[in-house]
């Protein structure tokens, strides 16, 4: 999508990284003028210094006595002497000597008929000249420095700092419509209004309704926020100005503010239009943040606020902004009259994912095996960008295998590829490692099967992948879940522990292979204790709050250090119990574990069906055996 954005090269537009033409010409002229002046000055002083010569007072007197002196000029501190014999010559030498307190000199000069030029106080032009000769070199240096700076940093140099090189992208027509955005029905609904409003603002103003100024698109990365903004512009057939928040922030304080000013000036000229500020959290961070202030960012933000207020609401310009960190935004940005509408762009649900897949398969060839519904079911949690990527990878895979159309298998392989990385064909596991990897993965799957008695996995493989895993379990897609019960969470903890438990039971030693399981289990257990109020010890106390709604970048503890230590102990207890439970389940079903693992070691891959076949076979034979025992007992 982004490749059809063209940088703004409009003729009358000055946002293309250069200064306006006339300012530039002026600068060139000034530079030439000054260089010329300097050269001339240099030549002049060179020339004159070569033809002046200091002499002693005695020599001067001798010259006078010998009648050789033509003129004597008082320069204030010295006598400047020209000789009669040099008068006609082109290269006359001027002599000078210091002035002495000599009362006889004047009568002598008069007597000898010397032309005397007395000292005249500096006139204003002389003073000006002196000032200029000091000032001009400084100005010249400054200009040269500025030019250099611009060359090096590209940041606009010293003189052009404010003029934005900001990448304002303007698209007359984005060409994107709401049909290109799938699975975000609620968001689209809110935006339809905005489109209508750009189409005929008078409809609203006639009643006296104020037009909305801005809307904030909020949601996790890759859910289609940028795409939606473009679609609004595309639907309304208005120009689309876009700029990322980080474009505003520069080393020099005040640059961002002037860029905001430029952007809005340009937008006003082009109304109706859409101004889109992507990743607005780069400038819109709360001004009283814990992390300390930042002058530049604050000024930029203030300018933005001021510009938004200055917008006449009948100038049909709508400002859209996108962010995945709404909680850090300054309150002032969110108040009515600014970004008062908040449009949530959520992760797509099952139907949404299917719709997104449908949008993206429009331009690829599919064969008859393809079932997008199944893929949608298997990709729980994926966002639009992931799904678009999967389709593309599937197409590449199909080409690689010399097929003319994408098959369902390509799609699932692409999904694994996106999630797990490429298969490492030439990395061969040793016999021992294969055994351990098999038991580990079967341990995960079997604990799930035992707890749910349902097909736990789609498949298990022990082919190493570029992401570093030696094998993995592809979970069977479940119905879309929005909530998890405590029971389910506990079961999941046992599943996480299943891999390590199997290793311990079978090999009596453990490997490094469980690090990811441990990490995930710990995270879940921690959340159960600190956020979901699921531990009896702490009850319904919030001990930790998440930093961000849409990005999982950690959380902050809200409790004292002493409590934190107890929390850790509680988490340890939960994890320990889960591990014991996993060990119990697996040792009780050791036969199952062995049989399925043997199969996997031999074949490298086992499907969910094959898994369940073995599972039921073993169990049935066991229960037959138990029943026989019972019969005998009777
Ligand atoms: P965001 O700005 O939310 O991080 P983008 O709008 O840049 O995400 O989305 C990246 C790409 O992912 C889009 O160009 C599009 O191809 C695809 N995509 C994301 N969400 C959707 C969606 N809801 N429908 C169709 N395609 C989508
Ligand atoms: Mg984006
Ligand atoms: Zn594991």
């Amino acid at each position: 999508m982004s490749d059809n954005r063209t940088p703004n090269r409009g003729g009358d537009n000055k946002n293309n990284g250069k200064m306006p033409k006339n300012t530039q010409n002026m600068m060139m002229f000034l530079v030439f003028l000054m260089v010329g002046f300097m050269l001339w000055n240099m030549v002049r002083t060179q020339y004159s210094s070569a033809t002046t010569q200091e002499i002693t007072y005695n020599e001067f007197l001798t010259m006078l006595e010998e009648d050789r002196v033509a003129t004597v000029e008082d320069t204030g501190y010295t006598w400047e002497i020209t000789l009669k014999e040099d008068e006609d010559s082109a290269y006359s030498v001027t002599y000078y000597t210091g002035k002495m307190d000599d009362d006889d000199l004047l009568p002598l000069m008069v007597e000898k008929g010397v032309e005397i030029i007395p000292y005249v106080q500096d006139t204003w032009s002389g003073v000006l000249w002196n000032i200029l000769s000091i000032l001009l070199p400084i100005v010249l240096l400054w200009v040269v420095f500025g030019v250099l700076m611009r060359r090096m940093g590209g940041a606009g140099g010293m003189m052009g700092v404010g003029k934005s090189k900001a990448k304002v992208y303007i698209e007359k027509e984005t060409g994107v419509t709401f049909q290109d955005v799938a699975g975000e029905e609620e968001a689209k609904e809110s935006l339809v209004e905005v489109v209508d409003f750009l189409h005929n603002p008078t409809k609203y103003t006639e009643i006296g309704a104020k037009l909305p100024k801005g809307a904030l698109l909020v949601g996790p990365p890759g859910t289609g926020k940028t795409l939606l903004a473009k679609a609004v512009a595309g639907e309304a057939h208005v120009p689309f100005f876009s700029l990322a928040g980080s474009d505003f922030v520069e080393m020099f304080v005040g640059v961002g503010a002037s860029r905001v000013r430029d952007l809005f000036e340009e937008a006003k000229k082009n109304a109706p239009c859409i101004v889109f500020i992507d990743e607005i959290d780069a400038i819109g961070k709360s001004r009283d943040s814990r992390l300390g202030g930042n002058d530049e960012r604050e000024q930029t933000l203030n300018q933005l606020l001021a510009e938004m207020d200055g917008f006449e609401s009948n100038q049909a310009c709508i400002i859209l902004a996108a962010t995945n960190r709404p909680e850090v935004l300054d309150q002032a940005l969110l108040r009515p009259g600014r970004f008062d509408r908040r449009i949530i762009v959520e992760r797509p649900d099952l139907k949404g994912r299917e719709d997104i897949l449908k949008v993206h398969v429009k331009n690829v060839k599919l064969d008859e095996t393809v079932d997008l519904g199944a893929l949608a079911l298997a990709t729980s949690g994926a966002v639009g960008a992931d799904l678009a990527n999967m389709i593309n990878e599937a197409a590449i895979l199909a080409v690689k295998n010399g097929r003319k159309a994408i098959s369902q298998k390509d799609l699932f392989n692409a999904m694994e590829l996106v999630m797990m990385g490429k298969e490492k064909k030439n990395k061969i596991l040793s016999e021992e490692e294969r055994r351990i990897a098999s038991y580990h993965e079967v341990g995960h799957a079997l604990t799930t099967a035992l707890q749910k008695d349902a097909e736990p996995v789609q498949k298990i493989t022990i082919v190493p992948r570029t992401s570093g895993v030696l094998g993995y379990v592809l979970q069977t897609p479940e119905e879309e879940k929005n909530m998890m019960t405590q029971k389910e969470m506990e079961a999941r903890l046992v599943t996480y522990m299943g891999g390590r438990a199997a290793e311990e039971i079978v090999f009596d030693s453990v490997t490094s292979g469980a690090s990811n399981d441990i990490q995930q289990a710990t995270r879940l257990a921690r959340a159960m204790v600190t956020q979901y109020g699921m531990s009896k010890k702490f009850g319904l106390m919030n001990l930790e709050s998440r930093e961000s709604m849409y990005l999982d970048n950690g959380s902050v503890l809200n409790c004292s250090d002493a409590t934190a230590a107890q929390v850790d102990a509680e988490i340890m207890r939960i994890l320990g119990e889960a591990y014991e439970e996993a060990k119990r389940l697996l040792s009780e079903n050791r036969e199952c574990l062995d049989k399925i693992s043997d199969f996997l070691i031999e074949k490298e891959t086992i499907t969910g069906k094959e898994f369940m076949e073995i599972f039921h076979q073993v169990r049935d034979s066991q229960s037959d055996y138990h029943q026989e025992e019972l019969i005998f007992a009777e």
Side-chain angles (χ1 to χ4, degrees):
M1 286 296 144
S2 60
D3 47 13
N4 57 9
R5 301 164 131 207
T6 42
N8 182 7
R9 295 217 175 80
D12 60 340
N13 209 305
K14 55 186 183 191
N15 287 331
N16 51 1
K18 287 188 185 131
M19 284 172 280
K21 263 254 146 52
N22 49 355
T23 313
Q24 231 181 0
N25 285 347
M26 268 270 283
M27 288 254 308
M28 287 301 274
F29 175 72
L30 267 176
V31 169
F32 273 120
L33 198 77
M34 271 176 294
V35 169
F37 172 79
M38 291 275 284
L39 279 177
W40 179 67
N41 217 7
M42 244 165 62
V43 168
R44 202 180 63 109
T45 50
Q46 269 288 316
Y47 180 75
S48 59
S49 72
T51 52
T52 54
Q53 195 181 321
E54 188 175 359
I55 52 173
T56 61
Y57 198 71
N58 299 59
E59 277 173 310
F60 171 45
L61 287 181
T62 320
M63 283 173 176
L64 262 179
E65 300 277 274
E66 287 172 359
D67 252 345
R68 291 165 59 201
V69 177
T71 60
V72 169
E73 184 180 348
D74 183 356
T75 67
Y77 307 105
T78 59
W79 294 116
E80 245 177 58
I81 304 127
T82 38
L83 299 185
K84 279 179 183 160
E85 61 239 44
D86 289 339
E87 248 181 332
D88 303 323
S89 134
Y91 301 104
S92 61
V93 180
T94 313
Y95 299 94
Y96 65 95
T97 187
K99 277 163 75 175
M100 300 279 288
D101 210 2
D102 185 351
D103 292 339
D104 299 336
L105 184 66
L106 212 60
L108 184 63
M109 287 201 284
V110 174
E111 183 199 316
K112 295 284 177 188
V114 173
E115 204 178 322
I116 304 165
I117 305 167
Y119 175 62
V120 186
Q121 279 286 313
D122 261 348
T123 55
W124 67 269
S125 67
V127 173
L128 200 71
W129 191 249
N130 280 340
I131 293 174
L132 266 184
S133 61
I134 294 165
L135 222 62
L136 276 182
I138 295 174
V139 171
L140 189 73
L141 263 180
W142 184 56
V143 169
V144 169
F145 185 65
V147 169
L148 277 183
M149 281 286 285
R150 182 139 30 101
R151 283 263 176 81
M152 289 184 325
M158 293 283 270
M159 319 201 53
V161 164
K163 283 303 166 192
S164 59
K165 60 116 205 191
K167 292 167 229 103
V168 175
Y169 285 103
I170 170 167
E171 289 177 68
K172 284 271 178 282
E173 275 286 337
T174 59
V176 181
T177 66
F178 279 149
Q179 278 178 347
D180 298 316
V181 191
E184 301 294 346
E185 297 311 320
E186 295 79 14
K188 276 200 277 187
E189 220 162 84
S190 328
L191 288 170
V192 163
E193 204 176 308
V194 172
V195 172
D196 186 41
F197 174 71
L198 285 168
H199 264 315
N200 37 19
T202 43
K203 193 168 98 186
Y204 292 81
T205 46
E206 265 171 10
I207 302 185
K210 282 243 170 63
L211 307 182
K213 276 189 192 158
L216 187 65
L217 297 162
V218 176
T223 45
K225 297 183 292 299
T226 310
L227 195 65
L228 266 170
K230 282 188 179 181
V232 172
E235 288 279 334
H237 302 290
V238 297
F240 181 70
F241 289 82
S242 82
L243 218 126
S246 56
D247 287 343
F248 291 115
V249 185
E250 288 259 0
M251 193 171 71
F252 301 102
V253 172
V255 180
S258 99
R259 280 191 188 149
V260 171
R261 219 172 302 131
D262 281 0
L263 174 68
F264 278 77
E265 219 168 83
E266 209 55 45
K268 274 180 206 162
K269 272 189 230 153
N270 285 289
C273 66
I274 294 225
V275 178
F276 179 54
I277 304 173
D278 211 348
E279 316 292 351
I280 196 175
D281 45 283
I283 44 170
K285 274 214 191 92
S286 177
R287 280 168 290 188
D288 51 22
S289 84
R290 288 169 282 150
L291 305 166
N294 173 333
D295 275 348
E296 164 63 349
R297 209 181 53 219
E298 279 177 25
Q299 266 199 28
T300 310
L301 177 57
N302 286 337
Q303 185 67 34
L304 181 66
L305 296 176
E307 290 287 348
M308 286 191 79
D309 282 345
F311 243 28
E312 290 304 318
S313 46
N314 50 22
Q315 256 167 337
C317 266
I318 303 240
I319 304 148
L320 296 178
T323 180
N324 36 40
R325 311 192 57 199
E327 62 284 334
V328 302
L329 291 183
D330 198 284
Q331 281 307 310
L333 264 179
L334 305 174
R335 79 143 167 79
R338 287 171 185 154
F339 292 108
D340 44 359
R341 293 185 181 211
R342 186 184 278 227
I343 295 166
I344 311 279
V345 188
E346 271 294 353
R347 281 176 196 280
D349 57 7
L350 180 61
K351 175 154 184 315
R353 288 198 299 276
E354 193 173 342
D355 291 344
I356 294 174
L357 287 170
K358 276 184 194 148
V359 167
H360 285 279
V361 295
K362 264 187 200 143
N363 301 322
V364 296
K365 289 207 178 68
L366 304 175
D367 71 9
E368 65 291 340
T369 59
V370 169
D371 174 7
L372 293 180
L375 183 61
L377 197 57
T379 46
S380 166
V383 293
D386 297 331
L387 297 172
N389 188 13
M390 272 174 211
I391 301 281
N392 191 45
E393 290 292 347
I396 291 170
L397 281 178
V399 172
K400 248 193 207 159
N401 299 331
R403 260 178 280 117
K404 289 264 182 283
I406 297 174
S407 67
Q408 184 75 346
K409 227 174 129 212
D410 291 328
L411 285 173
F412 270 89
N413 285 341
M415 180 185 85
E416 281 175 52
L417 201 135
V418 170
M419 281 165 20
M420 297 287 173
K422 274 193 162 64
E423 280 186 11
K424 272 195 201 159
K425 286 263 163 53
N426 50 5
K427 177 166 179 177
I428 296 164
L429 296 180
S430 71
E431 196 56 38
E432 181 71 2
E433 281 171 333
R434 274 163 67 103
R435 271 173 62 78
I436 297 176
S438 296
Y439 271 100
H440 179 102
E441 300 305 338
V442 174
H444 285 307
L446 192 57
T447 41
T448 323
L450 287 167
Q451 290 177 99
K452 275 204 303 202
D453 195 35
E455 189 174 302
V457 290
Q458 199 153 5
K459 73 171 190 183
I460 311 174
T461 65
I462 48 167
V463 181
R465 294 246 162 193
T466 43
S467 63
V469 296
L470 296 182
Y472 64 92
V473 176
L474 200 58
Q475 295 288 336
T476 309
E478 294 176 42
E479 277 303 301
E480 192 84 344
K481 271 219 183 85
N482 300 313
M483 260 197 287
M484 257 173 110
T485 62
Q486 182 169 1
K487 279 250 150 44
E488 282 165 340
M489 286 188 200
E490 279 162 1
R492 180 155 298 179
L493 283 180
V494 175
T495 301
Y496 283 137
M497 294 298 175
R500 165 59 72 89
E503 284 177 34
E504 198 195 321
I505 293 169
V506 179
F507 302 98
D508 208 18
S509 75
V510 291
T511 67
S512 58
S515 64
N516 187 43
D517 301 331
I518 295 173
Q519 188 181 334
Q520 279 182 296
T522 309
R523 196 193 279 182
L524 178 59
R526 176 170 286 275
M528 285 168 73
V529 175
T530 60
Q531 291 170 41
Y532 307 145
M534 287 182 182
S535 93
K536 289 215 182 61
K537 182 159 181 185
F538 295 104
L540 302 179
M541 182 176 173
N542 174 267
L543 298 164
E544 205 174 64
S545 45
R546 287 184 59 185
E547 294 232 291
S548 164
M549 224 185 305
Y550 298 111
L551 305 171
D552 32 53
N553 50 359
S555 36
V556 273
L557 274 178
N558 297 336
C559 55
S560 69
D561 288 350
T563 318
Q566 288 177 27
V567 167
D568 289 340
E570 180 73 357
I571 293 167
M572 240 180 275
R573 184 188 65 78
I574 294 176
L575 292 175
E577 273 172 16
Y579 187 61
E580 288 310 317
E581 173 67 7
K583 272 209 301 202
R584 185 187 66 79
L585 281 172
L586 291 177
S587 354
E588 277 175 12
N589 293 275
R590 179 67 195 266
E591 197 184 343
C592 242
L593 182 63
D594 287 337
K595 282 235 163 91
I596 298 172
S597 300
D598 287 344
F599 186 98
L600 185 58
I601 293 164
E602 196 186 328
K603 302 253 162 78
E604 281 201 344
T605 300
I606 183 170
T607 64
K609 258 209 204 87
E610 290 164 335
F611 183 99
M612 285 319 271
E613 252 166 46
I614 304 177
F615 181 69
H616 283 142
Q617 226 177 327
V618 175
R619 292 209 114 190
D620 288 347
S621 67
Q622 272 174 351
S623 58
D624 284 351
Y625 177 70
H626 282 301
Q627 259 163 18
E628 273 167 36
E629 264 183 338
L630 282 175
I631 291 165
F632 279 120
E634 274 180 339

